[in-house]
Amino acid sequence: MVKIRLQRYGKKKAPFYRVVATDSRNPRDGRFIEIIGTYHPTSHVEAEELKINEELAIKWLKNGAQPTDTVKSIFTKLGINQKFDALK
């Protein structure tokens, strides 16, 4: 099963994450299929905090990829879930 989830990067106490599509059997920071965007929770500039390619996200959702709870809340914040529901 393909999942859309976060991969942790950065250093201790200063994380940033990649939002990736990956096989659910792969480890958290292991192989991935495609990078969908980035998430910087500690960024002080709101524009740099979330960068998601909406076209790729909707493509993977159409193909049946399941987002994790955190990614689902990020997509809801950006309005990607609403766009996907409108396409269905």
Side-chain angles (χ1 to χ4, degrees), residues 37-57:
T38 59
Y39 172 50
H40 295 263
T42 58
S43 176
H44 299 293
V45 181
E46 192 170 319
E48 293 179 0
E49 186 177 324
L50 285 169
K51 292 182 183 177
I52 305 290
N53 187 333
E54 290 184 16
E55 294 173 5
L56 286 177

Side-chain angles (χ1 to χ4, degrees), residues 18-34:
R18 282 184 182 170
V19 181
V20 297
T22 184
D23 190 310
S24 62
R25 295 171 290 186
N26 291 339
R28 179 191 73 183
D29 297 334
R31 282 188 359 202
F32 58 88
I33 302 169
E34 190 166 24

Side-chain angles (χ1 to χ4, degrees), residues 7-83:
Q7 273 189 340
R8 190 180 196 281
Y9 286 91
K11 55 187 177 180
K12 191 188 323 183
K13 303 205 182 197
F16 76 92
Y17 300 91
R18 282 184 182 170
V19 181
V20 297
T22 184
D23 190 310
S24 62
R25 295 171 290 186
N26 291 339
R28 179 191 73 183
D29 297 334
R31 282 188 359 202
F32 58 88
I33 302 169
E34 190 166 24
I35 299 172
I36 297 173
T38 59
Y39 172 50
H40 295 263
T42 58
S43 176
H44 299 293
V45 181
E46 192 170 319
E48 293 179 0
E49 186 177 324
L50 285 169
K51 292 182 183 177
I52 305 290
N53 187 333
E54 290 184 16
E55 294 173 5
L56 286 177
I58 292 174
K59 178 189 101 168
W60 281 106
L61 290 171
K62 280 183 182 177
N63 287 337
Q66 297 296 313
T68 60
D69 293 337
T70 306
V71 173
K72 190 180 288 186
S73 68
I74 290 171
F75 284 179
T76 301
K77 182 178 179 182
L78 295 176
I80 295 173
N81 283 340
Q82 291 81 7
K83 291 178 184 178

